[in-house]
Amino acid sequence: MTSTPTSSGTMTAVRFHAYGEPDVLSLEEVERPEPGAGQVRVRVAATSFNGIDANVRAGRMQGPIPVALPHTPGRDVAGTVDALGEGVEGLEVGRPVVTFLPMTEDGASAQFALVDADTLATAPASLPLPDAAALPLVGLTAYQALFDHARLRSGQRVLVNGASGAVGDHAVQLAAAAGAHVIATASPRTAERVRAAGAAEVVDHTAGDVAAALTEPVDVLVQLAPIDPERFAALAARVADGGVVVSTTVWMPAPSDETRGVRAVDVFVRPDQDQLAELVARVDRGELEVRVAERVPLAELADVHARSAAGELDGKVVVVVEPAR
């Protein structure tokens, strides 16, 4: 992708005009958006790459996540308040903020983004502002899976399947902090990182059947990794009577077992200002670590999508946006 200089009233943004491979993404000069009632325009410091961005771009989510084309990807946003829409109070221009944007709206792979004011939280003071873009979507997904849906309590046994990913990393940290006994799946390459996040036990998912490796049932299964339905069902069978399965693999519904009282929840993350502020506070207290594997410029976003498709990404990628002139 090549960059186009911005002029007054315009900005650079990555968009796709048709669904397809990563090369449908292009860096373009577009109109700078104006905030409506209840909205804030954010000058974007960074967004991040999430797997959902690639699925939407490829056209695999047209049913649950319909978007208008051309579409700008990038759910997470970290930046500063640039302009206030009608009725917005309690925010001032220049404040550093974070949130994530609705799945069906234009995203933050651009120099400016429109955000609902009631979803914004002040950015963590302990992180460089661009790195804060690695927190909102994955942090809220993990938080809502554990506390809204699983109703996690201290002392429970939790299996996080897919613990080495960004959501899994936050889920392990949050569950351990809540007093749970965390069992996490990881490869030998990521096992130490997962253990450092707070896992009491680490199961090598490359060595065999994870369900068979569990010595005792678990109270909560947090399903984050792409697995086939048979393996998912086997893991769900290791959930204790009265337990819960929470899953972000929404293309494959979570299996329940009414006869044993096992609930199943497919997690669709939602913005929540209070929860995001709580996550920010934990980051600033040193209780939650935000790990960033790479920082790439906006002009290389198509390459990030291509590397993701090839399985070459290792950890969270922050996409840094060059300031508008």
Side-chain angles (χ1 to χ4, degrees), residues 24-300:
V24 300
L25 295 166
S26 61
L27 194 64
E28 305 172 358
E29 185 173 7
V30 301
E31 290 298 314
R32 189 175 300 188
E34 294 296 329
Q39 290 184 317
V40 168
R41 185 171 67 200
V42 172
R43 183 181 293 267
V44 179
T47 184
S48 79
F49 174 78
N50 292 288
I52 192 65
D53 296 323
N55 286 323
V56 170
R57 183 219 72 234
R60 292 190 286 264
M61 303 297 288
Q62 293 181 58
I65 307 177
V67 299
L69 300 178
H71 178 72
T72 298
R75 299 302 96 204
D76 290 301
V77 56
T80 54
V81 174
D82 182 71
L84 306 176
E86 181 182 352
V88 175
E89 298 178 352
L91 289 169
E92 67 281 345
V93 171
R95 177 184 292 191
V97 291
V98 290
T99 191
F100 83 92
L101 304 170
M103 297 289 180
T104 56
E105 301 298 322
D106 274 334
S109 298
Q111 291 177 315
F112 296 90
L114 294 183
V115 179
D116 289 338
D118 60 4
T119 71
L120 286 168
T122 300
S126 57
L127 292 178
L129 184 56
D131 285 5
L135 173 65
L137 189 148
V138 296
L140 284 170
T141 300
Y143 191 97
Q144 290 168 15
L146 290 170
F147 302 116
D148 288 358
H149 301 302
R151 303 165 196 161
L152 182 68
R153 302 186 307 275
S154 178
Q156 289 188 311
R157 291 170 55 83
V158 179
L159 172 63
V160 180
N161 189 42
S164 59
V167 175
D169 179 54
H170 285 79
V172 170
Q173 292 186 70
L174 291 168
H181 179 93
V182 181
I183 307 155
T185 64
S187 68
R189 181 175 55 83
T190 58
E192 273 312 305
R193 186 175 74 205
V194 168
R195 201 177 296 278
E201 300 178 42
V202 177
V203 177
D204 181 0
H205 65 79
T206 69
D209 182 36
V210 173
L214 297 176
T215 58
E216 298 178 42
V218 297
D219 301 293
V220 176
L221 166 62
V222 181
Q223 165 56 31
L224 306 172
I227 56 174
D228 60 52
E230 292 76 18
R231 289 192 176 187
F232 196 179
L235 286 177
R238 298 294 288 145
V239 175
D241 293 0
V244 61
V245 177
V246 289
S247 173
T248 62
T249 52
V250 293
W251 58 89
M252 181 173 56
S256 61
D257 188 339
E258 293 183 5
T259 61
R260 297 195 301 112
V262 175
R263 293 188 298 118
V265 182
D266 295 307
V267 178
F268 292 87
V269 64
R270 57 180 175 79
D272 189 297
Q273 188 178 49
D274 292 338
Q275 291 178 354
L276 185 54
E278 169 62 20
L279 292 170
V280 167
R282 292 185 185 214
V283 171
D284 282 340
R285 292 196 301 263
E287 299 170 1
L288 181 65
E289 184 176 354
V290 176
R291 284 181 257 270
V292 176
E294 290 185 69
R295 300 163 187 84
V296 302
L298 181 62
E300 295 180 13

